[in-house]
Amino acid sequence: MKKTLIGLLFLGMLATSVSAADTIKIAITGPFTGGSAPMGASMRDGAKLAIAEINAAGGISVADKKMQFEVIERDDEAKNDRGALIAQELASMNDLSGVIGSVNTGVVLAGDKHFQEKGVTKIITPAAGSASMTQWSKAGVPDLSIFRFAAHDGIQSEMVVEEAIKRNLTKVAIMYDSTNYGVSGRDDMLEQIKKQGNKLEVVASEKFNIGDKDMTAQLLKAKSAGAQAVLIWGIGPELAAFANGMAKMEMKTPLIGGWPLSMSNFIDNAGKNGNGTLMPQTFIEEPITPKAKSFIESYHKTYSVPRIASPVSAAQGYDAVYIFAAAVKQAQSRDTRKIKEALEDLRDPVEGVITTWKKPFSKWDPANEQTHEAFRREQVVMGMVQDGRVVFGNDSDRQRLIKNAIK
Amino acid sequence: MESLIISQMAVSGALMGLVYALIAYGFQLTFSTSKSINFGQGELVMLSAFFSLTLLDWGVPYWLMVPGGLLFGVFLGLAVERAGVRLALEQKSEGWILLTIIIGLLGFSAAENIWGRDDRPFPTPISADALQFFGVNVTPLEISVAIGVFALMGLIELFKRKTLLGKAFEAVSADRDAAELMGISATRTVMLSYGLSGLVAAMAGILVSPITTVGPTMASALILKAFSVAVVAGLDSGFGVVVIGIFLGALESLTSFYLGSGWREAPGLILLILALAVRPNGVFGKATIRKV
Amino acid sequence: MLEVTDLTVAYGPIEAVRSVSFTVQAGTVATLIGPNGAGKSSTLNALSGVAPQRCGRILLEGQDISRWSVHRRVAAGLVQVPEGRLVLAGMSVRENLELGAYRRPRTEVAADLERMEVRFPILRERRNAAAGTLSGGEQQMLAIARGLMARPKLLLLDEPSLGLAPLLVRTVFEIVTELRNSGLTILLVEQNARQALNVSSFGYVIENGKIVIEGPADKLRSDPAIIRTYLGQGV
């Protein structure tokens, strides 16, 4: 009896390994429900769009075999504990080739250690918090299986400060939420102000809490101190409370901040008061290049939506899959460690919707986490809210991208 | 400039304070008839707001949505009374405390599952463009909150004083046994009070949503303040809740300006502690001595 | 009119009234007399439904009302004027009267109000005053008038003379007599046994929750035991 059972189990394992022989298992994780769902679901849908394209074209040739991608989806609900559980589950699968996803830096911090422990390759997108990568450089790990594919906060704060200086402003107010994300955003901005020559005077620095609806106090301080711009680090609903409060106080000063200003719960809740708000973006939902045009059109068609809830997340999810696929092809293997090595040294450029990626990553150096960060300043543009969508904030960015595409 | 800032902060805060007052008034309504309150009142505010938003999504015009949302609030209030309060009161137990909390939690999960966890905008035809009064910026939306609060409280007070049913309501509040001996059903009056408090909660939800957006947690902060206001003002003075509500709202706003927004919750809590220590019946509360 | 059998009233484990039985004939006044704490008020309160009835049967015009709610009994014509008056102090005299007629059709109320104000001129005079500002005697008038506004078939009067000056006590009993003469059925609870027996046709003496003596009022008035215990000092 026992023997037959073991035999059956063995047969079963054989059977699954046979049926799975021709697929590359890739997991997509993120919040698909709840407050961060616009980003999580857009990332997932962008990634699945790329996977569908690759599979429809016959898959990837690995060791003379055409292999298809097989997707495992996990909803972490933006909860750290869920994220940790999911990471444990995925890390224990021995035939998983890689993981793409995570929106919330807290979830990344809770889960990624399991991937690193088992050496599972993960591409973080679109979570932008600096800590996701600095945790590994601080720990000094010699080898890292985690990559990031998002414009991290360092780049974003650099651009926010740059934008204020470019507009010839001298006095700014800094507003930040009381979470890790907000506080480190403030520190990044202060550091950037110093770095860029102390051209900005911070006349007010005010904190707010998640759930605050009335920002009159903070705004009045900024207004009475003569701030010419409000630089802000926070998440959708509170950002909207600022935009609405500024309209009420008749503050016409620009609102500039991190990329959550492009979240639909900012754009919808702020309504027309959100117009003119500026934030760094890696992708603008405007068909300015043929590649962008086909991506936007097929996204709209596939998911029957008139606009992408979070274009940045969708485009990053899409490009992350193509970069991962390129690594599989170069490694000629489904083995997650070999894919990691290929990612650190991609020979061929990967044509994505954001840009054409040339060597996005390099061999991990614990002294420089930029080695596993794909985005540099030039891949990021300034976006602006305009009547319910995000458009280019500076026409020069737009022209540059069009020119790059022709080149 | 300084005095202008103070008045701007005080006015903004006071207008928010009126919402606290309205919710606190809902506590008073049920406490006066039954010596019980609905600890899930915040969920009533939130559920009514979501329901009203759904009506708008269905294409119901704004001014028709308002009575619809209010009716829904009444329905919720009655449901809470039936499911959570009546049996406990009949058995003269304090079970209503736990039951109303549980019903509130159920309402919260229901909202998360039906409408999701996002904060959503609540469209309104009332303009949010600022108007200036003596240098203080006020939006028509904020003014509509004040009008709504005063109108509803005024109507309910009028109902209590001018109609037979309202007087019966007052009779039960004043002396339950005496009222029963006049043929007034205390049970039905308690039902009525819960219906009215649901109405008040729905009104608070409809008024505040365009300013704060609608989400499952929209009322969690509001309800704490409202509770402070009710306790500080005393559980039997409608006039008191308005005064204390305005006072607390303005105080909070000034505190967050001068001490930082992290201290925003402090005045309400300190007032609550002071009130409980010094005047347990509330600043406007009457000591309950019955003349024999 | 009223037939009570084996009525027991208990507050938790404490039995205030134990298995009492009595009747009140239509158009007559019956009285319950007895010392303080004997269970007189508990009996009345159980009849009106305010006090918890443990067992027994209460028949009003042949109908068992022992499981009815308070307000339903009021609607059926069983109206109690409670001890201590319990007027609504914050409301006007007029509002108190109106609420007394809460279960009556509105069309009949105006005429009844007029009648009460004619019968009790003080209530007309103080119509808009808060009931709490009235004197004790005036409040008692108001309480009785409020009870009458419900058009009772059976009026339960609980200690109407309690705490009143002698002159006012006389007035109260005059009113009771008058009501009796108009054909109203009354069950009167009083410590003032002499006056109570004077206006009643039948009496019950209750001690320690039990009826110990009962009989026609004129017989009780001449009962030596009663004279000794209840009528001795007189008023």
Side-chain angles (χ1 to χ4, degrees):
Chain A
M1 183 65 203
K2 216 172 195 176
K3 264 184 194 162
T4 48
L5 203 68
I6 292 169
L8 271 174
L9 274 173
F10 186 74
L11 260 176
M13 279 166 72
L14 212 67
T16 52
S17 65
V18 164
S19 75
D22 296 336
T23 66
I24 305 158
K25 271 198 188 170
I26 183 167
I28 300 178
T29 70
F32 307 142
T33 56
S36 308
M39 291 180 283
S42 299
M43 178 273 295
R44 175 195 63 195
D45 293 346
K48 284 169 78 175
L49 199 60
I51 287 170
E53 285 173 11
I54 294 169
N55 285 347
I60 303 170
S61 313
V62 175
D64 299 328
K65 245 196 232 157
K66 281 280 187 185
M67 289 197 180
Q68 299 261 319
F69 272 116
E70 182 190 338
V71 179
I72 301 166
E73 284 179 43
R74 290 290 182 272
D75 180 5
D76 62 33
E77 299 168 31
K79 290 177 183 156
N80 297 353
D81 53 336
R82 287 280 305 153
L85 269 176
I86 290 169
Q88 268 173 318
E89 182 212 345
L90 293 175
S92 69
M93 295 180 180
N94 45 22
D95 57 348
L96 189 68
S97 296
V99 183
I100 290 179
S102 295
V103 167
N104 313 82
T105 303
V107 174
V108 171
L109 295 179
D112 278 9
K113 54 178 176 285
H114 301 292
F115 295 127
Q116 164 68 3
E117 214 168 79
K118 293 274 169 70
V120 175
T121 301
K122 177 181 176 189
I123 300 179
I124 301 170
T125 190
S130 303
S132 308
M133 297 312 285
T134 53
Q135 65 164 331
W136 303 116
S137 53
K138 274 181 193 151
V141 294
D143 196 28
L144 185 64
S145 68
I146 313 286
F147 299 82
R148 169 139 56 188
F149 195 71
H152 58 88
D153 281 352
I155 297 179
Q156 296 195 35
S157 54
E158 179 187 340
M159 291 179 64
V160 167
V161 171
E162 207 178 275
E163 184 71 27
I165 293 173
K166 206 165 74 188
R167 291 173 175 245
N168 294 321
L169 308 177
T170 52
K171 292 175 168 181
V172 295
I174 290 184
M175 307 286 173
Y176 57 100
D177 76 30
S178 53
T179 66
N180 262 342
Y181 174 71
V183 174
S184 67
R186 175 200 60 180
D187 294 343
D188 286 345
M189 286 192 284
L190 289 174
E191 200 188 306
Q192 282 297 332
I193 289 175
K194 221 185 279 169
K195 234 185 198 166
Q196 298 184 30
N198 272 326
K199 292 188 188 106
L200 300 178
E201 183 195 349
V202 179
V203 291
S205 175
E206 292 292 315
K207 194 157 66 170
F208 55 92
N209 296 319
I210 299 292
D212 280 1
K213 310 284 188 194
D214 178 15
M215 305 299 182
T216 317
Q218 290 91 334
L219 286 171
L220 258 180
K221 274 203 174 161
K223 194 182 183 188
S224 60
Q228 296 157 319
V230 176
L231 311 186
I232 192 163
W233 226 256
I235 313 183
E238 291 76 36
L239 298 174
F242 267 98
N244 293 332
M246 285 171 78
K248 183 187 132 191
M249 308 301 304
E250 292 175 294
M251 286 174 77
K252 304 266 191 285
T253 48
L255 183 65
I256 317 172
W259 80 289
L261 285 167
S262 67
M263 279 167 68
S264 53
N265 52 11
F266 168 77
I267 294 177
D268 293 345
N269 290 349
K272 70 176 182 349
N273 298 336
N275 280 352
T277 305
L278 297 160
M279 82 302 293
Q281 294 284 279
T282 57
F283 181 74
I284 304 280
E285 193 177 5
E286 240 185 270
I288 52 165
T289 65
K291 186 84 190 162
K293 186 167 186 276
S294 75
F295 169 72
I296 294 167
E297 276 172 3
S298 63
Y299 189 102
H300 289 181
K301 215 178 104 199
T302 311
Y303 303 109
S304 329
V305 287
R307 68 166 174 146
I308 306 175
S310 171
V312 165
S313 309
Q316 287 177 189
Y318 182 86
D319 276 15
V321 166
Y322 270 103
I323 288 176
F324 189 85
V328 174
K329 199 171 155 198
Q330 181 176 315
Q332 283 296 301
S333 166
R334 291 175 299 171
D335 182 78
T336 190
R337 282 176 189 79
K338 293 202 175 118
I339 294 170
K340 182 220 124 198
E341 275 159 26
L343 272 176
E344 285 182 331
D345 180 32
L346 271 185
R347 285 188 293 268
D348 298 328
V350 179
E351 204 190 323
V353 66
I354 296 170
T355 186
T356 299
W357 299 96
K358 292 168 191 150
K359 286 200 183 296
F361 305 110
S362 52
K363 177 94 187 98
W364 170 250
D365 173 6
N368 178 16
E369 66 265 8
Q370 293 297 324
T371 49
H372 273 212
E373 293 271 13
F375 280 82
R376 300 290 178 267
R377 170 67 186 85
E378 63 264 26
Q379 278 108 28
V380 191
V381 299
M382 199 47 100
M384 184 175 77
V385 175
Q386 187 66 60
D387 300 327
R389 49 202 308 150
V390 178
V391 299
F392 281 95
N394 301 317
D395 198 51
S396 56
D397 280 334
R398 193 166 183 268
Q399 298 307 331
R400 180 168 57 87
L401 290 187
I402 293 173
K403 222 161 69 195
N404 283 352
I406 297 167
K407 210 165 34 184
Chain B
M1 189 66 197
E2 185 74 6
S3 66
L4 204 60
I5 288 177
I6 293 176
S7 23
Q8 174 73 59
M9 292 309 301
V11 169
S12 289
L15 287 167
M16 251 344 246
L18 282 175
V19 179
Y20 307 162
L22 185 60
I23 301 174
Y25 186 63
F27 284 138
Q28 287 186 340
L29 286 171
T30 61
F31 189 80
S32 66
T33 58
S34 64
K35 300 287 168 281
S36 71
I37 62 172
N38 175 14
F39 279 98
Q41 191 80 353
E43 277 69 31
L44 257 54
V45 174
M46 174 267 292
L47 289 168
S48 309
F50 263 128
F51 180 80
S52 307
L53 182 60
T54 307
L55 287 183
L56 289 176
D57 285 348
W58 286 343
V60 178
Y62 185 86
W63 298 110
L64 276 179
M65 171 281 288
V66 175
L70 295 181
L71 265 180
F72 185 72
V74 171
F75 164 77
L76 288 180
L78 292 176
V80 168
E81 191 274 337
R82 187 70 196 83
V85 180
R86 192 180 299 177
L87 276 176
L89 288 182
E90 274 170 14
Q91 293 161 1
K92 309 232 181 294
S93 84
E94 306 292 314
W96 54 267
I97 297 177
L98 211 57
L99 280 169
T100 55
I101 292 175
I102 290 169
I103 293 171
L105 290 174
L106 278 177
F108 185 84
S109 333
E112 277 199 341
N113 283 310
I114 300 171
W115 292 290
R117 275 178 279 167
D118 285 350
D119 287 329
R120 291 160 61 184
F122 191 93
T124 167
I126 303 162
S127 159
D129 296 335
L131 304 173
Q132 277 222 347
F133 296 97
F134 308 105
V136 173
N137 285 346
V138 181
T139 65
L141 205 53
E142 288 175 315
I143 297 172
S144 77
V145 170
I147 293 174
V149 169
F150 284 124
L152 186 63
M153 285 182 67
L155 276 177
I156 292 178
E157 285 300 311
L158 214 62
F159 159 77
K160 289 204 292 191
R161 279 170 204 170
K162 295 293 168 204
T163 68
L164 188 72
L165 193 62
K167 285 174 188 172
F169 185 100
E170 290 279 74
V172 173
S173 311
D175 192 325
R176 192 187 164 106
D177 280 350
E180 284 264 12
L181 287 175
M182 286 180 247
I184 299 164
S185 163
T187 315
R188 254 176 250 164
T189 309
V190 172
M191 263 177 75
L192 173 69
S193 72
Y194 268 87
L196 281 177
S197 95
L199 176 84
V200 162
M203 187 68 167
I206 292 171
L207 287 175
V208 83
S209 290
I211 299 177
T212 66
T213 68
V214 182
T217 57
M218 64 179 282
S220 49
L222 279 178
I223 210 70
L224 260 178
K225 315 284 180 55
F227 196 70
S228 300
V229 169
V231 173
V232 173
L235 278 161
D236 50 19
S237 169
F239 172 72
V241 288
V242 170
V243 174
I244 299 289
I246 289 176
F247 175 71
L248 179 65
L251 190 65
E252 263 184 354
S253 178
L254 289 170
T255 310
S256 64
F257 182 71
Y258 285 106
L259 298 182
S261 64
W263 294 99
R264 192 185 186 89
E265 317 297 322
L269 298 175
I270 291 171
L271 271 183
L272 187 61
I273 294 168
L274 279 181
L276 287 174
V278 182
R279 286 209 57 140
N281 283 320
V283 177
F284 294 86
K286 294 174 270 236
T288 40
I289 300 164
R290 202 160 89 183
K291 201 167 163 186
V292 178
Chain C
M1 171 68 71
L2 181 74
E3 200 182 325
V4 178
T5 26
D6 291 333
L7 175 70
T8 297
V9 182
Y11 303 94
I14 301 155
E15 290 189 343
V17 177
R18 275 171 292 172
S19 202
V20 302
S21 302
F22 58 91
T23 54
V24 183
Q25 298 298 324
T28 68
V29 177
T31 184
L32 286 178
I33 55 176
N36 231 342
K40 307 187 298 283
S41 286
S42 294
T43 307
L44 273 204
N45 286 340
L47 294 182
S48 63
V50 180
Q53 175 189 348
R54 174 155 305 165
C55 48
R57 217 160 52 133
I58 305 170
L59 295 184
L60 181 72
E61 293 184 306
Q63 231 178 341
D64 188 352
I65 60 164
S66 47
R67 307 223 148 266
W68 289 14
S69 61
V70 182
H71 55 90
R72 192 168 166 205
R73 296 182 201 205
V74 174
L78 188 148
V79 176
Q80 181 180 10
V81 177
E83 182 183 345
R85 303 28 127 185
L86 303 188
V87 296
L88 298 164
M91 289 195 202
S92 72
V93 168
R94 187 63 179 259
E95 284 170 327
N96 268 275
L97 290 176
E98 276 173 9
L99 282 172
Y102 187 71
R103 304 295 296 245
R104 308 280 319 153
R106 286 298 100 190
T107 45
E108 299 172 11
V109 173
D112 281 3
L113 270 175
E114 178 62 25
R115 283 220 326 268
M116 288 308 146
E117 288 184 346
V118 169
R119 174 62 194 81
F120 303 100
I122 185 69
L123 301 183
R124 183 190 293 267
E125 223 170 274
R126 310 284 315 263
R127 183 189 283 179
N128 294 315
T133 63
L134 266 53
S135 73
E138 289 164 349
Q139 287 193 16
Q140 188 61 61
M141 302 301 148
L142 175 57
I144 294 174
R146 189 179 65 185
L148 293 174
M149 285 297 291
R151 293 253 186 123
K153 291 175 183 155
L154 171 65
L155 187 68
L156 310 179
L157 285 173
D158 196 356
E159 307 275 14
S161 74
L162 192 71
L164 297 185
L167 197 68
L168 285 166
V169 172
R170 225 172 69 197
T171 317
V172 166
F173 281 102
E174 275 167 24
I175 293 167
V176 175
T177 314
E178 202 179 301
L179 291 174
R180 179 195 66 193
N181 294 344
S182 74
L184 184 63
T185 315
I186 298 174
L187 177 59
L188 174 66
V189 158
E190 260 295 340
Q191 285 192 58
N192 192 333
R194 184 191 300 273
Q195 296 269 38
L197 288 172
N198 279 343
V199 297
S200 305
S201 51
F202 211 84
Y204 299 87
V205 179
I206 188 164
E207 278 174 15
N208 290 323
K210 281 193 157 154
I211 291 178
V212 287
I213 309 172
E214 60 176 274
D218 44 2
K219 264 210 182 112
L220 294 187
R221 273 200 300 270
S222 53
D223 186 316
I226 291 178
I227 292 172
R228 201 175 331 110
T229 327
Y230 298 107
L231 307 178
Q233 305 88 335
V235 176

